[in-house]
Amino acid sequence: MEYRKIKDEDNDGGTVSNDIENLRGIGFSGVASVSNVPPREQAKWKRKTVVTVALTFLTSSQAILIVWSKRAGKYEYSVTTANFLVETLKCALSLAALARIWKSEGVTEDNRLSTTLDEVIVYPIPALLYLVKNLLQYYIFAYVDAPGYQILKNLNIISTGVLYRIILKKKLSDIQWAAFILLCAGCTTAQLNSRSDHVLQTSLPGWIMAIVMALLSGFAGVYTEAIIKKRPSRNINVQNFWLYIFGMTFNAIAILIQDFDAVMNKGFFHGYSIITTLMILNHALSGIAVSMVMKYADNIVKVYSTSVAMLLTAVVSVLLFGFNLTLAFFLGATVVSVSVYLHSAGKLQR
């Protein structure tokens, strides 16, 4: 696959490190220093900042909505239909964005939906990986509790860094690798509580599902970034459209295989509530935000964004669920902050 040869200097995609290098030496003392930055670079940096912040806040509310969508400790709605609606909504939002672009800019080679088989044929792979990963996200709770899931989910941090290096051939400095390990340790520390030792007693199926989820999430994310950045000038909404079309297809197949009888007997929207609807909307917007972060930044930024989101989730849980912030949380949050700083410093030294 040619996607293994993506270079750091992709024209429009680029990486955050490129922007940091461009902004190096620029102070924050006043408007005069910022004005020295070319308008195009300012626009790119602003766009990356907006999508990253959006992803952070959307992800921080994701786990809360999933927990709220349960009734008496179980999902009364069909998980497969919920995932199908997420993909459908993402596809509709991408089409709506394209319609606005076509109206204002007209149809061009980079924003038209028509494409070649070679371009489209790569999209089923990440769509299938995301399907399996999303389904595991629901069923892993049969083997681990919510705190244990949050801790095991941190395996995704390491898997993303390793696959990012292997698949995209992008090097991370020694400082960045150290920052990555600190990030994983900090996130884990922040989630420790009196029941955390039970994670080590997780059954074999639970460990297998956690490891598979981490690998699927890392590989799907890195592979999707490779696809999106293969053609930097291609409009992100077109790329999203084809990715979500296959996502809808695979989720429709999952409904037929797993929940066909339940859907036919009880109805497609059986068990849905306002919280379920908000969860679907959140997942859809989060998915679009993830793809935009991959387009305009990279998977490393996504990992840090979701890690910070975890800390925000804990803070919000104080108000919603009476969650008590422990010393472990403050220590973990400090380690995560140091990790973010080291990662930025490591980019400047590359």
Side-chain angles (χ1 to χ4, degrees):
M1 279 286 184
E2 291 295 325
Y3 304 102
R4 295 172 62 91
K5 301 179 181 178
I6 305 295
K7 295 183 178 180
D8 291 339
E9 60 267 23
D10 279 341
N11 295 332
D12 185 61
T15 60
V16 175
S17 60
N18 291 335
D19 291 303
I20 293 177
E21 291 294 340
N22 290 331
L23 296 174
R24 191 175 183 180
I26 297 174
F28 296 91
S29 57
V31 178
S33 61
V34 177
S35 63
N36 294 328
V37 183
R40 186 169 179 269
E41 293 300 325
Q42 290 186 38
K44 287 172 60 178
W45 185 256
K46 181 179 179 181
R47 183 170 52 190
K48 292 178 182 181
T49 302
V50 170
V51 297
T52 302
V53 171
L55 176 60
T56 301
F57 281 98
L58 287 169
T59 305
S60 65
S61 58
Q62 200 169 86
I64 294 174
L65 289 172
I66 290 178
V67 173
W68 266 358
S69 70
K70 287 184 175 183
R71 293 179 182 175
K74 64 178 182 179
Y75 305 109
E76 291 191 357
Y77 58 91
S78 167
V79 171
T80 54
T81 60
N83 283 335
F84 176 80
L85 290 176
V86 169
E87 296 301 314
T88 303
L89 182 55
K90 288 193 291 186
C91 190
L93 291 173
S94 297
L95 277 177
L98 275 175
R100 292 186 60 184
I101 293 173
W102 291 336
K103 184 177 180 180
S104 61
E105 302 177 7
V107 179
T108 66
E109 184 65 27
D110 289 327
N111 67 28
R112 68 174 70 248
L113 285 179
S114 57
T115 183
T116 62
L117 179 62
D118 288 339
E119 181 180 5
V120 173
I121 201 172
V122 297
Y123 288 106
I125 297 175
L128 180 59
L129 293 175
Y130 279 126
L131 168 64
V132 178
K133 177 253 182 184
N134 289 336
L135 290 177
L136 286 177
Q137 179 176 269
Y138 289 93
Y139 295 116
I140 193 174
F141 287 106
Y143 301 95
V144 298
D145 56 12
Y149 167 75
Q150 291 295 335
I151 291 176
L152 293 175
K153 190 179 178 182
N154 294 327
L155 293 171
N156 174 53
I157 297 175
I158 302 300
S159 70
T160 299
V162 173
L163 293 171
Y164 183 81
R165 175 68 182 92
I166 294 174
I167 297 176
L168 294 183
K169 303 295 185 183
K170 292 185 178 180
K171 294 182 179 180
L172 296 176
S173 67
D174 292 341
I175 293 179
Q176 287 178 305
W177 277 116
F180 238 54
I181 295 173
L182 282 177
L183 179 65
C184 186
C187 289
T188 303
T189 301
Q191 294 160 340
L192 294 179
N193 57 38
S194 59
R195 295 179 296 166
S196 296
D197 288 342
H198 294 169
V199 173
L200 298 177
Q201 301 171 11
T202 300
S203 62
L204 182 60
W207 278 107
I208 292 176
M209 291 178 72
I211 293 172
V212 170
M213 274 187 60
L215 292 174
L216 286 177
S217 179
F219 184 77
V222 172
Y223 191 81
T224 301
E225 180 183 342
I227 293 173
I228 290 176
K229 288 184 176 177
K230 174 62 179 177
R231 185 175 171 183
S233 61
R234 190 67 152 147
N235 187 280
I236 182 62
N237 295 294
V238 175
Q239 295 173 314
N240 281 342
F241 172 82
W242 287 110
L243 179 62
Y244 302 148
I245 281 292
F246 285 106
M248 290 172 57
T249 302
F250 287 128
N251 277 282
I253 295 174
I255 293 174
L256 294 175
I257 295 175
Q258 183 172 326
D259 293 324
F260 179 76
D261 291 338
V263 170
M264 293 300 294
N265 294 329
K266 299 180 180 180
F268 192 92
F269 297 102
H270 174 76
Y272 277 63
S273 64
I274 295 178
I275 298 298
T276 310
T277 303
L278 291 175
M279 182 195 71
I280 290 172
L281 177 61
N282 175 280
H283 275 66
L285 294 176
S286 297
I288 292 176
V290 166
S291 66
M292 296 186 74
V293 167
M294 292 180 185
K295 178 77 170 182
Y296 304 121
D298 54 43
N299 268 277
I300 307 302
V301 172
K302 186 194 80 171
V303 167
Y304 275 92
S305 176
T306 52
S307 297
V308 173
M310 177 273 298
L311 300 180
L312 290 178
T313 300
V315 173
V316 173
S317 297
V318 173
L319 302 175
L320 298 180
F321 305 116
F323 177 76
N324 294 319
L325 295 182
T326 63
L327 176 61
F329 176 83
F330 286 108
L331 291 175
T334 301
V335 174
V336 170
S337 300
V338 172
S339 172
V340 173
Y341 171 77
L342 287 177
H343 182 75
S344 301
K347 284 182 176 179
L348 292 176
Q349 293 183 15
R350 284 172 58 183

